[in-house]
Amino acid sequence: MRYFIKFAYNGKNYFGYQIQPNAVSVQETLEKALSLLMKQTVEIVGAGRTDSGVHAKEMFAHFDYDGEIDVPVLVKKLNSFLPKDIVIYDFIKVHDEAHARFDATKRTYEYYIHTFKDAFISDLSWYHYQELDVDQMNAACQILFEYIDFECFSKVNTDVHTFNCKIYEAHWQQKGNELIFTISADRFLRNMVRAIVGTMVTIGLGKISLNDFRAIIESKNRSKAGFSVPAHGLYLVKVAYPYIESGQ
């Protein structure tokens, strides 16, 4: 039987989601715990791969298991066994061809910036004290909807076959000393959100114009875009599937 697992993690202590040699990953940590508690080798396939230090408030992965799962019991056992920075929310039985990565129809990320020094969130939000023009940054968000090719915001030497992404939502919101950037799309390129945020911060500082922003996108050249903001302010917050109501 195929199951989806719904979970979240603080990415500070992990070199990203995906298994890699000689580094601790979220996937490896989860697979070891599941295999031990379920008494068989369990391999999971995630909805995507977050980079080193990036967090996830909502992540899904699928795996196959020969038998029924007592969901409340396994959730409780896993949460007792796993490190404190990974939490399990649910197991959902799905059809045999369901795929956590390929069936996802929309992913949503948030990026957090705090504009006044805070001793308690320095690992969870990026501190940027310079004043930003949020109205200009929101105007730049509207420009994103005019395009589908975002090669300029992608890491170079990536193995993707297309740089096209359909963006559904993009906006900045200010709450006191907190700035939150929200963006939803059908897919994201590697480093895309962090590069978009860095470029928009440059706009907010008045260093480039909205016309410059259009020119950057049309250049398809990563070196033309802004810097990549630090990973610790970025969160995957929602993954939507046609057969899981509201991505919950």
Side-chain angles (χ1 to χ4, degrees):
M1 296 182 183
R2 180 155 292 184
Y3 289 88
F4 270 32
I5 178 173
K6 179 183 175 183
F7 59 104
Y9 54 87
N10 180 322
K12 177 184 177 182
N13 296 319
Y14 300 96
F15 288 84
Y17 166 78
Q18 193 171 35
I19 285 178
Q20 49 189 297
N22 306 315
V24 179
S25 68
V26 175
Q27 182 182 5
E28 179 185 21
T29 304
L30 260 179
E31 286 185 352
K32 285 182 176 179
L34 281 166
S35 297
L36 185 64
L37 292 179
M38 302 180 82
K39 297 181 171 59
Q40 69 177 57
T41 300
V42 176
E43 296 181 352
I44 63 175
V45 177
R49 54 187 184 189
T50 55
D51 288 339
S52 179
V54 175
H55 317 290
K57 293 183 178 180
E58 177 179 275
M59 176 63 130
F60 287 92
H62 78 253
F63 66 95
D64 296 321
Y65 176 66
D66 298 329
E68 292 282 345
I69 290 177
D70 187 329
V71 174
V73 171
L74 186 56
V75 168
K76 186 176 181 178
K77 284 183 176 180
L78 266 176
N79 281 330
S80 298
F81 186 79
L82 285 164
K84 62 183 179 181
D85 48 17
I86 300 177
V87 59
I88 308 301
Y89 292 125
D90 201 5
F91 290 91
I92 304 161
K93 188 188 295 184
V94 292
H95 60 87
D96 290 345
E97 301 301 316
H99 199 287
R101 179 182 173 191
F102 298 137
D103 291 354
T105 56
K106 184 170 70 172
R107 297 165 173 85
T108 302
Y109 282 89
E110 290 177 346
Y111 194 87
Y112 286 78
I113 296 174
H114 57 289
T115 57
F116 190 84
K117 188 174 181 180
D118 190 313
F120 302 101
I121 61 171
S122 58
D123 292 330
L124 303 171
S125 174
W126 178 43
Y127 174 43
H128 186 277
Y129 64 89
Q130 293 170 283
E131 187 173 349
L132 297 170
D133 187 334
V134 179
D135 289 339
Q136 280 292 93
M137 292 158 70
N138 269 320
C141 289
Q142 296 305 306
I143 293 172
L144 290 174
F145 298 116
E146 301 173 14
Y147 298 91
I148 59 171
D149 187 325
F150 295 103
E151 184 174 358
C152 70
F153 298 126
S154 173
K155 273 191 175 178
V156 295
N157 302 321
T158 186
D159 57 357
V160 299
H161 300 295
T162 174
F163 294 97
N164 288 358
C165 307
K166 173 65 175 175
I167 293 181
Y168 299 112
E169 176 186 12
H171 59 82
W172 287 90
Q173 183 180 13
Q174 183 152 20
K175 298 179 179 178
N177 294 321
E178 184 178 60
L179 267 175
I180 306 168
F181 175 63
T182 303
I183 185 167
S184 299
D186 59 347
R187 63 190 289 265
F188 287 92
L189 307 168
R190 289 200 66 192
N191 204 57
M192 178 175 167
V193 180
R194 290 164 63 192
I196 288 175
V197 173
T199 307
M200 288 191 175
V201 166
T202 308
I203 291 171
L205 290 170
K207 294 182 177 180
I208 64 172
S209 68
L210 296 178
N211 285 334
D212 292 333
F213 189 60
R214 282 194 175 88
I216 288 168
I217 297 173
E218 292 170 7
S219 76
K220 303 182 182 182
N221 187 337
R222 178 65 186 93
S223 66
K224 302 285 187 183
F227 65 101
S228 179
V229 290
H232 65 267
L234 182 60
Y235 297 74
L236 174 64
V237 298
K238 188 169 287 295
V239 186
Y241 296 93
Y243 42 77
I244 299 178
E245 186 175 353
S246 300
Q248 299 299 314

